Amino acid sequence: MKTEKKQVKKTASTSNSQKKSSKTASSQTSQAPARSNSQGSTTNNGQQQVPSTNEPRLVTLNGDLNRTLGHVLLPQKDGLGQDNSRLNIRFSGDSVNYVINYSVGGKTRPLNDPALQNETPYATLTKKTYSSFAQAQAAVNYHSSSDDQGLPRIDLGHDISGTIDAGAGNRYLHWNEGKWSLVVHAAAVNGEDPKPMAKQVVELLESSYLPAPNSVGAGEFEVSGDNKLTWQDGQTLYSLKGQSVQTIITMAASMK
């Protein structure tokens, strides 16, 4: 019962946060600055220069993305503990479907600078729009708690427990919070244990509220490998992928 109350509280808090974010987004759209000096100047050889500015690097790049794509949902935090002054972004697509790559380079470069193709993203945000609500919902790798009946349970802290499913050299530790299905995969054949990462995720979600999906959301975490968050917003699916669990949770929680 404690777990259920807690999950409801988290979902309600997240929903309220989402409503506030929507109001903020509308306000920001109507007050978008007319000037576009963050696009930078051009040198004699045709290369664009990054202008000097005192605003945070992500604020500058988000402004560039909004001028290019229109007002779209974007992380308001870069998820970096350091080196965020050299944050770079490249993207492809339009306001309906896009892929945005976040990287840290040796120096700052303009949005979509060709040289950014050589930088390895630390996080990738994807937006994909489907033709129906049902198609978008089906594309989420959601796992219901009712599928875990009879499996051993593990305490993850904060009145949350998960179930462990092991076999064929793999371990899957799964639990649900609100409308989110969360699972950590570990390769048992390599001696990996999913519990420490699962407890880390639970702890992070005590202070960072993930977006509230219309129907379902899924967090898929790897002890060794990339991690991904996917959530539904009507006919649209958002996903955020990266190697650091803390980074993608921080970024997703700041989306607006």
Side-chain angles (χ1 to χ4, degrees):
M1 291 297 294
K2 291 183 178 179
T3 302
E4 291 176 358
K5 290 181 180 179
K6 183 172 188 179
Q7 291 174 348
V8 170
K9 182 179 178 181
K10 281 191 175 183
T11 305
S13 300
T14 309
S15 299
N16 291 335
S17 175
Q18 187 184 45
K19 291 178 182 177
K20 291 179 181 178
S21 298
S22 298
K23 292 179 181 179
T24 305
S26 300
S27 174
Q28 289 177 338
T29 302
S30 62
Q31 298 176 9
R35 60 183 180 178
S36 57
N37 58 354
S38 63
Q39 295 293 332
S41 58
T42 304
T43 61
N44 293 332
N45 60 8
Q47 291 184 331
Q48 196 176 34
Q49 292 180 321
V50 178
S52 79
T53 175
N54 291 324
E55 68 182 4
R57 178 73 173 145
L58 183 62
V59 172
T60 300
L61 290 169
N62 277 350
D64 292 341
L65 283 168
N66 281 325
R67 277 183 285 273
T68 305
L69 296 173
H71 187 80
V72 294
L73 286 179
L74 296 170
Q76 304 305 304
K77 294 182 179 180
D78 54 35
L80 297 172
Q82 56 186 1
D83 294 330
N84 55 1
S85 63
R86 292 183 281 114
L87 172 69
N88 290 316
I89 291 179
R90 60 183 170 90
F91 81 96
S92 60
D94 53 30
S95 61
V96 179
N97 299 283
Y98 56 72
V99 177
I100 302 175
N101 292 290
Y102 298 81
S103 61
V104 176
K107 66 176 183 178
T108 57
R109 296 184 183 276
L111 179 70
N112 265 12
D113 188 289
L116 298 181
Q117 295 287 341
N118 299 320
E119 291 186 3
T120 301
Y122 70 84
T124 299
L125 172 66
T126 302
K127 175 184 179 181
K128 184 174 182 180
T129 302
Y130 291 80
S131 59
S132 70
F133 181 99
Q135 284 186 332
Q137 183 183 43
V140 180
N141 190 19
Y142 182 83
H143 187 78
S144 173
S145 59
S146 62
D147 298 331
D148 297 335
Q149 294 182 4
L151 294 174
R153 301 201 70 84
I154 294 179
D155 179 24
L156 300 177
H158 298 286
D159 294 325
I160 293 175
S161 63
T163 58
I164 188 77
D165 188 2
N170 295 290
R171 293 191 184 109
Y172 294 90
L173 205 170
H174 171 259
W175 72 102
N176 292 83
E177 292 195 47
K179 295 181 178 180
W180 281 84
S181 162
L182 305 160
V183 62
V184 176
H185 169 249
V189 68
N190 296 330
E192 294 177 352
D193 181 3
K195 186 175 179 179
M197 177 175 279
K199 295 188 74 171
Q200 179 193 9
V201 172
V202 168
E203 190 65 39
L204 287 169
L205 294 182
E206 284 297 300
S207 56
S208 297
Y209 295 108
L210 295 177
N214 285 151
S215 179
V216 291
E220 300 169 87
F221 308 100
E222 296 282 341
V223 172
S224 298
D226 283 341
N227 307 288
K228 183 169 71 170
L229 296 169
T230 305
W231 65 99
Q232 180 191 11
D233 184 7
Q235 295 176 216
T236 301
L237 222 60
Y238 292 94
S239 67
L240 193 55
K241 183 175 71 172
Q243 288 192 336
S244 168
V245 172
Q246 183 170 358
T247 293
I248 64 170
I249 287 178
T250 299
M251 293 177 72
S254 71
M255 292 276 290
K256 65 179 182 179

